[in-house]
Amino acid sequence: MFAGLAFMQPVKRWVNYSAEKKGNADIKVVSFNTKTGMKDRAEVNAYLKAQEADVILLQEDAGKSYGLKGYEIVSPNGVLTVLTRHKIISQKVLRPQDDDDKIPGMQIDIEIQGKIYRFIDVYLFPFKFEKQMVKLNGDTDANEQKVKDIVKRLIPTFKTHQDQVSLIREAVENSPYPVILAGDFNSVPNSYEYYHLSEDLQDAFLTAGKGSATSFHDYKFPIRIDYVFSSKSLQAVSYRVDRSVSLSDHYPVISEFSLNNK
């Protein structure tokens, strides 16, 4: 029984069957790694327009071709893009001191219904695996070499992630406003990145998600690397990975929140 309880929470980060949530959704948030150029930009534009979201957080996205009426767009580095129908109070790129190519996030303070919320769009540095790199075959020597090559890639990327997570945590901890943290973490749910970035925040999938949270579909096995976290003062009332579209190697993640303005 105790072993089952110990494994229950980690498993729920991949597959969850939450009870039906009650309450009105005050805000709709879409997080999506669009993998710029992978599909027709017009299709992505049409999809985002149809969502009628309050805030859209995009990763691997230059943001220059969007013309959504009524939205203000912020895309300072050609990788992270935020669109919103509400008033932007301030914005800041979370910039490492020594490497502008590894910017992990962007914070946008947005006023919604008379109150300010901090949105952080996250894109942690990718591991840059090719499919053939992780596909093993019957050749023991070749497979052993593949494993060694994977480890060589993992170690420096983990170090980069450690520095990037520290920058993002600073933005969360120093926020005077409730936080919604979302994006492509390039990390699985039982990772260092998940544990540290979710600290003192709620995983919207655990609160309001159902079924599988798999969001990256370029490999045959299921991987969850896209997340939506929020301050505990915000109540997630829905969470959905939209598998009805294949506009990228990621599926869009859509969450709705009750803002609990008091």
Side-chain angles (χ1 to χ4, degrees):
M1 181 182 69
F2 286 115
L5 291 174
F7 283 103
M8 183 180 297
Q9 192 69 3
V11 169
K12 285 182 67 177
R13 297 186 192 122
W14 294 86
V15 181
N16 186 30
Y17 293 95
S18 298
E20 194 72 33
K21 296 296 174 182
K22 296 182 179 180
N24 296 323
D26 297 310
I27 180 171
K28 183 178 183 180
V29 178
V30 174
S31 177
F32 186 21
N33 182 325
T34 63
K35 196 77 171 180
T36 296
M38 189 172 183
K39 292 286 185 180
D40 186 346
R41 297 291 289 172
E43 291 183 55
V44 177
N45 193 80
Y47 176 80
L48 296 178
K49 181 179 180 181
Q51 297 310 307
E52 298 184 343
D54 294 277
V55 180
I56 301 171
L57 307 173
L58 305 178
Q59 306 86 43
E60 286 196 90
D61 190 283
K64 295 181 179 179
S65 62
Y66 295 115
L68 301 186
K69 188 176 181 180
Y71 283 83
E72 187 171 353
I73 183 168
V74 179
S75 186
N77 68 338
V79 176
L80 295 164
T81 296
V82 175
L83 300 97
T84 179
R85 298 192 292 182
H86 301 275
K87 181 181 179 181
I88 295 176
I89 303 300
S90 65
Q91 57 184 280
K92 178 183 178 181
V93 174
L94 305 180
R95 193 181 304 276
Q97 293 182 351
D98 57 350
D99 197 342
D100 278 358
D101 292 331
K102 296 179 181 177
I103 291 172
M106 174 174 59
Q107 70 180 46
I108 307 285
D109 295 338
I110 300 174
E111 183 179 337
I112 302 174
Q113 297 183 14
K115 190 173 180 180
I116 301 174
Y117 300 87
R118 173 161 295 177
F119 291 81
I120 303 178
D121 191 6
V122 174
Y123 179 63
L124 297 189
F125 191 70
F127 287 96
K128 297 184 177 179
F129 288 132
E130 301 294 336
K131 290 181 182 179
Q132 59 269 24
M133 292 175 60
V134 297
K135 185 178 181 180
L136 303 180
N137 53 42
D139 188 330
T140 303
D141 291 337
N143 289 342
E144 183 178 348
Q145 186 58 49
K146 283 186 177 183
V147 172
K148 290 179 180 179
D149 291 341
I150 290 172
V151 172
K152 286 180 181 179
R153 284 178 175 264
L154 287 175
I155 293 174
T157 302
F158 279 137
K159 178 60 173 70
T160 297
H161 279 196
Q162 185 177 21
D163 297 337
Q164 292 182 322
V165 166
S166 179
L167 269 176
I168 296 168
R169 284 303 312 174
E170 184 178 354
V172 172
E173 292 167 6
N174 292 339
S175 176
Y177 316 118
V179 171
I180 291 179
L181 173 73
D184 177 3
F185 290 20
N186 276 305
S187 304
V188 296
N190 300 326
S191 63
Y192 166 91
E193 293 85 344
Y194 179 96
Y195 282 107
H196 284 268
L197 289 176
S198 65
E199 185 177 352
D200 296 324
L201 300 175
Q202 293 186 116
D203 184 337
F205 174 66
L206 292 182
T207 304
K210 286 188 176 182
S212 170
T214 296
S215 57
F216 181 77
H217 58 89
D218 203 32
Y219 297 157
K220 291 183 178 179
F221 47 89
I223 302 179
R224 183 192 182 196
I225 58 176
D226 299 273
Y227 304 89
V228 180
F229 298 141
S230 70
S231 296
K232 294 176 182 178
S233 60
L234 305 177
Q235 177 67 40
V237 296
S238 71
Y239 183 102
R240 178 169 62 95
V241 180
D242 190 353
R243 299 185 181 86
S244 68
V245 294
S246 185
L247 301 173
S248 165
D249 51 3
H250 293 246
Y251 292 122
V253 176
I254 304 169
S255 296
E256 292 180 310
F257 293 88
S258 169
L259 297 181
N260 292 332
N261 288 325
K262 294 179 180 180

